[in-house]
Amino acid sequence: MTKNGKIEPFPDADWSGWKPGRDATHRFVSVNALHVAPDGTLWVVDTGTPSFGGPPLPGGAKLVRIDPATGDVLRIYPLGPEIAQAGSYIDDIRFNGMHAYLTDAGKAALIVLDIKTGQARRVLDNDASTRARTDRPLILDGHVVESHPRQPLLVNVDPLEVSPDGKWLYFGPLEGPWSRIPTAFLDDPNVSSTDLSAAVKPWADLPPIGGSAMDTAGNLYFTNLKDNGVYRRDVSGKITKLISDSRLHWADAPCLALDGRLWLPVAQLDRLSMFHQGQFRSHQPFLLVSIDLR
């Protein structure tokens, strides 16, 4: 939104103007996450998939690094078919020095990106820690969310956070639970898949969440899909409910602002027609809300 209140495409109309048949390498196909890196640049995670759960288009799956002040595209990081595979859904991103970590909620893996070289690796591919568990169905509005009739929606590794000291990556399926692994293991391409899997340890048995954010003290803020709530998990493991409101239905992608406010877009994702045999159940208006945490 501009200073005069107008809504305009960002970074420009061409980037936001993909249509079937158009080249996807320099256009957004399906943006799933926006995240501001420690250096202030904006990173856009493009799944490259026109339909939820569909295959990524050639050149569609990518990361786009943008200067938010000017809208200049600084670099495009393609995620080729060996990284964004058939069935992949590249979900979210976090940073640690010269590495970025992403989750593949479709094919159950973490992706480690070398920011300088642009090289990416899939790790913990189909590991128990990255796979959704069938014994933890997602229940909203009193019903199990289904990807197809009588098939509960299973979302593999989705949320992730890096500890303030950069030593740990926390991650888990959307339905929980969360695990942790030393980032030093992830950053070293010479660590075997067996040793990586052995280094994963349980961290927190959290409920199904829409999204999370971690502050510089290590407090985790997350949206609880079961009760439309926002919670805080402190460094001791204590969990506190901050607010619960029916208007926060599937609040997603929390963002901690410098002024102490937590910003929450409300996605109502489970009410889309794909989860209700073609019936669209979302309620307008779609909201962007903020909560004062001070």
Side-chain angles (χ1 to χ4, degrees):
M1 181 176 290
T2 63
K3 292 181 179 179
N4 60 9
K6 291 181 61 179
I7 296 178
E8 296 181 354
F10 182 86
D12 57 39
D14 193 47
W15 265 99
S16 299
W18 178 84
K19 294 180 180 179
R22 301 191 74 183
D23 176 67
T25 58
H26 291 76
R27 296 183 179 93
F28 298 131
V29 178
S30 179
V31 171
N32 193 66
L34 304 172
H35 198 78
V36 177
D39 65 359
T41 56
L42 176 67
W43 288 63
V44 181
V45 179
D46 187 353
T47 69
T49 59
S51 59
F52 187 81
L57 295 176
K62 56 190 172 292
L63 307 172
V64 183
R65 182 171 175 247
I66 301 173
D67 182 336
T70 64
D72 293 338
V73 173
L74 304 176
R75 185 170 179 178
I76 300 171
Y77 292 83
L79 300 174
E82 73 285 356
I83 300 298
Q85 303 174 354
S88 286
Y89 194 83
I90 309 304
D91 193 86
D92 210 346
I93 187 169
R94 294 295 185 271
F95 299 90
N96 183 37
M98 291 307 297
H99 288 92
Y101 313 115
L102 299 102
T103 49
D104 184 345
K107 288 209 70 178
L110 296 178
I111 297 169
V112 180
L113 173 72
D114 185 312
I115 294 173
K116 183 176 181 180
T117 66
Q119 294 297 309
R121 296 178 287 116
R122 290 179 65 90
V123 299
L124 298 177
D125 212 333
N126 203 34
D127 189 78
S129 63
T130 58
R131 291 196 311 268
R133 286 171 40 174
T134 57
D135 62 340
R136 297 171 73 105
L138 179 57
I139 301 174
L140 280 83
D141 287 339
H143 302 281
V144 174
V145 181
E146 298 180 336
S147 57
H148 299 87
R150 295 179 295 280
Q151 292 185 26
L153 176 68
L154 298 176
V155 181
N156 295 313
V157 61
D158 180 343
L160 77 167
E161 297 294 343
V162 175
S163 63
D165 60 10
K167 292 182 178 180
W168 296 95
L169 180 73
Y170 309 114
F171 63 95
L174 180 145
E175 300 88 352
W178 286 45
S179 304
R180 70 174 188 171
I181 188 172
T183 55
F185 279 64
L186 293 174
D187 297 347
D188 186 350
N190 296 314
V191 176
S192 69
S193 58
T194 301
D195 288 343
L196 269 181
S197 183
V200 176
K201 302 300 179 186
W203 183 60
D205 190 6
L206 298 180
I209 74 168
S212 65
M214 182 170 279
D215 66 18
T216 55
N219 299 304
L220 179 76
Y221 298 87
F222 63 90
T223 59
N224 187 337
L225 297 180
K226 289 183 176 181
D227 67 355
N228 304 318
V230 180
Y231 287 71
R232 178 180 61 234
R233 181 191 187 275
D234 67 23
V235 292
S236 73
K238 179 183 177 182
I239 295 177
T240 304
K241 180 192 286 189
L242 303 179
I243 189 174
S244 181
D245 191 297
S246 61
R247 292 172 294 180
L248 299 178
H249 190 85
W250 202 304
D252 204 336
C255 177
L256 281 166
L258 296 177
D259 63 0
R261 299 192 72 87
L262 184 71
W263 288 82
L264 300 159
V266 182
Q268 303 183 51
L269 185 63
D270 62 297
R271 293 173 174 167
L272 294 178
S273 58
M274 68 182 71
F275 301 121
H276 297 283
Q277 292 77 55
Q279 296 182 1
F280 190 74
R281 298 186 177 181
S282 299
H283 307 309
Q284 293 193 29
F286 292 97
L287 301 176
L288 174 64
V289 302
S290 66
I291 302 169
D292 191 344
L293 299 176
R294 294 170 295 181

